Amino acid sequence: MSFNNLDQLYRSVIMDHYKNPRNKGSIEDDAVTIDMNNPTCGDRIHLTLKVTDGIVEDAKFDGEGCSISMSSASMMTQLIKGKNVEEALELAEIFSKMMMGEDYSEKYDLEDVEALQGVSQFPARIKCATLAWKAMEKGVNQ
């Protein structure tokens, strides 16, 4: 597949998550709640996590922001559901390395998250992409 086709595929995955977000909403019962924002661009996220016996049973988000921040939140909630806290934190570390353009472990299938790789070429957008992940790290460490 050529670079242009791959780039277009990644853009379409990002836009699909933005227009049709997965896990949008909030969890009411026994949920950890995290509110974070990126004051430089106005992105904000309200993340709720249900963690039972060290497993992320459910993850939902709400908020507003650019297509990068909202699609990243959608992808992240899909990826961490069913993972234990250590795996979720490891995925956040892998994602952070990806955003910084560093080599990262390919231990996990990152699924749709791989579509965000190109964000590393736009330093101003990295905070957009990592907002939900930083909220998740904060939440599972509470």
Side-chain angles (χ1 to χ4, degrees), residues 101-126:
E102 299 173 4
D103 290 336
Y104 57 89
S105 168
E106 294 186 16
K107 177 178 177 181
Y108 298 99
D109 177 5
L110 298 179
E111 301 172 14
D112 286 352
V113 173
E114 288 185 18
L116 293 168
Q117 277 182 331
V119 172
S120 67
Q121 298 170 17
F122 304 95
R125 303 306 301 273
I126 292 172

mmCIF file of all heavy atoms in Angstrom, residues 101-126:
data_model
loop_
_atom_site.group_PDB
_atom_site.id
_atom_site.type_symbol
_atom_site.label_atom_id
_atom_site.label_comp_id
_atom_site.label_asym_id
_atom_site.label_seq_id
_atom_site.Cartn_x
_atom_site.Cartn_y
_atom_site.Cartn_z
ATOM 1 N N GLY A 101 7.650 9.932 18.731
ATOM 2 C CA GLY A 101 8.426 9.449 17.603
ATOM 3 C C GLY A 101 9.540 8.500 18.007
ATOM 4 O O GLY A 101 10.480 8.264 17.248
ATOM 5 N N GLU A 102 9.431 7.935 19.208
ATOM 6 C CA GLU A 102 10.440 7.009 19.723
ATOM 7 C C GLU A 102 10.062 5.574 19.380
ATOM 8 O O GLU A 102 8.901 5.274 19.077
ATOM 9 C CB GLU A 102 10.553 7.145 21.252
ATOM 10 C CG GLU A 102 10.968 8.523 21.715
ATOM 11 C CD GLU A 102 10.913 8.679 23.239
ATOM 12 O OE1 GLU A 102 10.627 7.675 23.944
ATOM 13 O OE2 GLU A 102 11.138 9.804 23.712
ATOM 14 N N ASP A 103 11.048 4.685 19.448
ATOM 15 C CA ASP A 103 10.763 3.263 19.273
ATOM 16 C C ASP A 103 9.908 2.810 20.448
ATOM 17 O O ASP A 103 10.115 3.248 21.582
ATOM 18 C CB ASP A 103 12.062 2.448 19.245
ATOM 19 C CG ASP A 103 12.871 2.690 17.978
ATOM 20 O OD1 ASP A 103 12.270 3.089 16.956
ATOM 21 O OD2 ASP A 103 14.099 2.480 18.018
ATOM 22 N N TYR A 104 8.957 1.929 20.165
ATOM 23 C CA TYR A 104 8.081 1.440 21.219
ATOM 24 C C TYR A 104 7.857 -0.054 21.059
ATOM 25 O O TYR A 104 8.037 -0.616 19.979
ATOM 26 C CB TYR A 104 6.746 2.194 21.234
ATOM 27 C CG TYR A 104 5.991 2.142 19.929
ATOM 28 C CD1 TYR A 104 5.087 1.112 19.673
ATOM 29 C CD2 TYR A 104 6.180 3.109 18.950
ATOM 30 C CE1 TYR A 104 4.395 1.050 18.476
ATOM 31 C CE2 TYR A 104 5.491 3.069 17.753
ATOM 32 C CZ TYR A 104 4.603 2.038 17.523
ATOM 33 O OH TYR A 104 3.915 1.980 16.345
ATOM 34 N N SER A 105 7.450 -0.676 22.140
ATOM 35 C CA SER A 105 7.205 -2.111 22.164
ATOM 36 C C SER A 105 6.021 -2.468 21.267
ATOM 37 O O SER A 105 5.021 -1.747 21.242
ATOM 38 C CB SER A 105 6.904 -2.564 23.601
ATOM 39 O OG SER A 105 6.408 -3.879 23.618
ATOM 40 N N GLU A 106 6.141 -3.554 20.569
ATOM 41 C CA GLU A 106 5.028 -4.050 19.755
ATOM 42 C C GLU A 106 4.382 -5.266 20.419
ATOM 43 O O GLU A 106 3.831 -6.136 19.759
ATOM 44 C CB GLU A 106 5.519 -4.351 18.341
ATOM 45 C CG GLU A 106 5.946 -3.087 17.629
ATOM 46 C CD GLU A 106 6.308 -3.307 16.175
ATOM 47 O OE1 GLU A 106 5.968 -4.358 15.608
ATOM 48 O OE2 GLU A 106 6.932 -2.393 15.602
ATOM 49 N N LYS A 107 4.451 -5.277 21.745
ATOM 50 C CA LYS A 107 3.893 -6.365 22.544
ATOM 51 C C LYS A 107 2.381 -6.499 22.359
ATOM 52 O O LYS A 107 1.835 -7.586 22.398
ATOM 53 C CB LYS A 107 4.232 -6.101 24.024
ATOM 54 C CG LYS A 107 3.682 -7.085 24.998
ATOM 55 C CD LYS A 107 4.136 -6.721 26.412
ATOM 56 C CE LYS A 107 3.538 -7.651 27.442
ATOM 57 N NZ LYS A 107 3.971 -7.278 28.805
ATOM 58 N N TYR A 108 1.711 -5.369 22.146
ATOM 59 C CA TYR A 108 0.254 -5.354 22.023
ATOM 60 C C TYR A 108 -0.164 -4.951 20.615
ATOM 61 O O TYR A 108 0.506 -4.158 19.965
ATOM 62 C CB TYR A 108 -0.364 -4.343 23.002
ATOM 63 C CG TYR A 108 -0.098 -4.638 24.450
ATOM 64 C CD1 TYR A 108 0.914 -3.974 25.141
ATOM 65 C CD2 TYR A 108 -0.853 -5.569 25.140
ATOM 66 C CE1 TYR A 108 1.166 -4.222 26.479
ATOM 67 C CE2 TYR A 108 -0.615 -5.837 26.478
ATOM 68 C CZ TYR A 108 0.395 -5.165 27.139
ATOM 69 O OH TYR A 108 0.637 -5.425 28.453
ATOM 70 N N ASP A 109 -1.312 -5.440 20.194
ATOM 71 C CA ASP A 109 -1.946 -4.958 18.976
ATOM 72 C C ASP A 109 -2.638 -3.652 19.352
ATOM 73 O O ASP A 109 -3.554 -3.643 20.169
ATOM 74 C CB ASP A 109 -2.958 -5.985 18.468
ATOM 75 C CG ASP A 109 -3.719 -5.510 17.241
ATOM 76 O OD1 ASP A 109 -3.408 -4.428 16.705
ATOM 77 O OD2 ASP A 109 -4.633 -6.243 16.807
ATOM 78 N N LEU A 110 -2.195 -2.556 18.800
ATOM 79 C CA LEU A 110 -2.739 -1.249 19.159
ATOM 80 C C LEU A 110 -4.033 -0.918 18.428
ATOM 81 O O LEU A 110 -4.625 0.138 18.651
ATOM 82 C CB LEU A 110 -1.694 -0.156 18.907
ATOM 83 C CG LEU A 110 -0.413 -0.285 19.724
ATOM 84 C CD1 LEU A 110 0.557 0.837 19.358
ATOM 85 C CD2 LEU A 110 -0.697 -0.288 21.213
ATOM 86 N N GLU A 111 -4.455 -1.817 17.558
ATOM 87 C CA GLU A 111 -5.714 -1.656 16.837
ATOM 88 C C GLU A 111 -5.776 -0.282 16.154
ATOM 89 O O GLU A 111 -4.807 0.154 15.542
ATOM 90 C CB GLU A 111 -6.896 -1.907 17.776
ATOM 91 C CG GLU A 111 -6.865 -3.316 18.385
ATOM 92 C CD GLU A 111 -7.898 -3.568 19.454
ATOM 93 O OE1 GLU A 111 -8.851 -2.767 19.582
ATOM 94 O OE2 GLU A 111 -7.763 -4.583 20.166
ATOM 95 N N ASP A 112 -6.892 0.422 16.274
ATOM 96 C CA ASP A 112 -7.072 1.704 15.592
ATOM 97 C C ASP A 112 -6.110 2.790 16.078
ATOM 98 O O ASP A 112 -5.863 3.770 15.370
ATOM 99 C CB ASP A 112 -8.507 2.204 15.761
ATOM 100 C CG ASP A 112 -9.508 1.431 14.917
ATOM 101 O OD1 ASP A 112 -9.078 0.602 14.091
ATOM 102 O OD2 ASP A 112 -10.718 1.660 15.088
ATOM 103 N N VAL A 113 -5.560 2.629 17.277
ATOM 104 C CA VAL A 113 -4.645 3.626 17.839
ATOM 105 C C VAL A 113 -3.465 3.892 16.900
ATOM 106 O O VAL A 113 -2.938 5.004 16.848
ATOM 107 C CB VAL A 113 -4.161 3.186 19.242
ATOM 108 C CG1 VAL A 113 -3.079 4.109 19.768
ATOM 109 C CG2 VAL A 113 -5.342 3.128 20.210
ATOM 110 N N GLU A 114 -3.078 2.892 16.131
ATOM 111 C CA GLU A 114 -1.957 3.064 15.199
ATOM 112 C C GLU A 114 -2.210 4.185 14.192
ATOM 113 O O GLU A 114 -1.264 4.774 13.659
ATOM 114 C CB GLU A 114 -1.654 1.753 14.472
ATOM 115 C CG GLU A 114 -1.009 0.727 15.375
ATOM 116 C CD GLU A 114 -0.599 -0.536 14.647
ATOM 117 O OE1 GLU A 114 -0.501 -0.508 13.403
ATOM 118 O OE2 GLU A 114 -0.368 -1.534 15.328
ATOM 119 N N ALA A 115 -3.468 4.500 13.947
ATOM 120 C CA ALA A 115 -3.801 5.559 13.001
ATOM 121 C C ALA A 115 -3.310 6.924 13.480
ATOM 122 O O ALA A 115 -3.190 7.851 12.691
ATOM 123 C CB ALA A 115 -5.313 5.605 12.767
ATOM 124 N N LEU A 116 -3.001 7.043 14.775
ATOM 125 C CA LEU A 116 -2.542 8.317 15.321
ATOM 126 C C LEU A 116 -1.026 8.506 15.227
ATOM 127 O O LEU A 116 -0.512 9.541 15.650
ATOM 128 C CB LEU A 116 -2.990 8.440 16.783
ATOM 129 C CG LEU A 116 -4.500 8.553 16.988
ATOM 130 C CD1 LEU A 116 -4.859 8.365 18.452
ATOM 131 C CD2 LEU A 116 -5.016 9.888 16.474
ATOM 132 N N GLN A 117 -0.314 7.537 14.656
ATOM 133 C CA GLN A 117 1.146 7.633 14.562
ATOM 134 C C GLN A 117 1.614 8.933 13.930
ATOM 135 O O GLN A 117 2.605 9.510 14.353
ATOM 136 C CB GLN A 117 1.713 6.473 13.743
ATOM 137 C CG GLN A 117 1.896 5.212 14.519
ATOM 138 C CD GLN A 117 2.504 4.120 13.649
ATOM 139 O OE1 GLN A 117 2.317 4.088 12.438
ATOM 140 N NE2 GLN A 117 3.220 3.214 14.276
ATOM 141 N N GLY A 118 0.942 9.378 12.912
ATOM 142 C CA GLY A 118 1.355 10.577 12.188
ATOM 143 C C GLY A 118 1.320 11.853 13.010
ATOM 144 O O GLY A 118 1.959 12.850 12.657
ATOM 145 N N VAL A 119 0.597 11.828 14.131
ATOM 146 C CA VAL A 119 0.512 13.013 14.988
ATOM 147 C C VAL A 119 1.903 13.396 15.505
ATOM 148 O O VAL A 119 2.183 14.571 15.738
ATOM 149 C CB VAL A 119 -0.473 12.770 16.159
ATOM 150 C CG1 VAL A 119 -0.438 13.910 17.164
ATOM 151 C CG2 VAL A 119 -1.885 12.577 15.627
ATOM 152 N N SER A 120 2.792 12.422 15.633
ATOM 153 C CA SER A 120 4.135 12.700 16.148
ATOM 154 C C SER A 120 4.877 13.719 15.285
ATOM 155 O O SER A 120 5.812 14.360 15.750
ATOM 156 C CB SER A 120 4.946 11.405 16.262
ATOM 157 O OG SER A 120 5.215 10.868 14.980
ATOM 158 N N GLN A 121 4.448 13.906 14.044
ATOM 159 C CA GLN A 121 5.085 14.864 13.146
ATOM 160 C C GLN A 121 4.592 16.302 13.378
ATOM 161 O O GLN A 121 5.094 17.241 12.766
ATOM 162 C CB GLN A 121 4.826 14.473 11.691
ATOM 163 C CG GLN A 121 5.416 13.130 11.340
ATOM 164 C CD GLN A 121 4.943 12.647 9.979
ATOM 165 O OE1 GLN A 121 4.446 13.413 9.164
ATOM 166 N NE2 GLN A 121 5.107 11.354 9.730
ATOM 167 N N PHE A 122 3.606 16.448 14.264
ATOM 168 C CA PHE A 122 3.021 17.758 14.542
ATOM 169 C C PHE A 122 3.061 18.013 16.054
ATOM 170 O O PHE A 122 2.087 17.747 16.760
ATOM 171 C CB PHE A 122 1.575 17.819 14.036
ATOM 172 C CG PHE A 122 1.460 17.499 12.575
ATOM 173 C CD1 PHE A 122 1.155 16.204 12.157
ATOM 174 C CD2 PHE A 122 1.699 18.471 11.619
ATOM 175 C CE1 PHE A 122 1.063 15.885 10.810
ATOM 176 C CE2 PHE A 122 1.607 18.168 10.260
ATOM 177 C CZ PHE A 122 1.304 16.875 9.854
ATOM 178 N N PRO A 123 4.189 18.506 16.558
ATOM 179 C CA PRO A 123 4.368 18.667 18.009
ATOM 180 C C PRO A 123 3.229 19.395 18.716
ATOM 181 O O PRO A 123 2.884 19.050 19.847
ATOM 182 C CB PRO A 123 5.678 19.456 18.118
ATOM 183 C CG PRO A 123 6.423 19.096 16.880
ATOM 184 C CD PRO A 123 5.373 18.931 15.813
ATOM 185 N N ALA A 124 2.612 20.358 18.074
ATOM 186 C CA ALA A 124 1.514 21.100 18.704
ATOM 187 C C ALA A 124 0.286 20.233 18.936
ATOM 188 O O ALA A 124 -0.562 20.564 19.768
ATOM 189 C CB ALA A 124 1.141 22.311 17.850
ATOM 190 N N ARG A 125 0.176 19.112 18.231
ATOM 191 C CA ARG A 125 -1.006 18.245 18.344
ATOM 192 C C ARG A 125 -0.801 17.069 19.293
ATOM 193 O O ARG A 125 -1.742 16.345 19.612
ATOM 194 C CB ARG A 125 -1.406 17.711 16.972
ATOM 195 C CG ARG A 125 -1.689 18.761 15.913
ATOM 196 C CD ARG A 125 -2.726 19.814 16.287
ATOM 197 N NE ARG A 125 -4.041 19.327 16.605
ATOM 198 C CZ ARG A 125 -5.014 19.107 15.733
ATOM 199 N NH1 ARG A 125 -4.829 19.318 14.462
ATOM 200 N NH2 ARG A 125 -6.186 18.677 16.147
ATOM 201 N N ILE A 126 0.422 16.867 19.760
ATOM 202 C CA ILE A 126 0.711 15.723 20.638
ATOM 203 C C ILE A 126 -0.101 15.807 21.927
ATOM 204 O O ILE A 126 -0.658 14.806 22.388
ATOM 205 C CB ILE A 126 2.224 15.600 20.916
ATOM 206 C CG1 ILE A 126 2.939 15.199 19.615
ATOM 207 C CG2 ILE A 126 2.505 14.603 22.029
ATOM 208 C CD1 ILE A 126 4.448 15.234 19.679
#
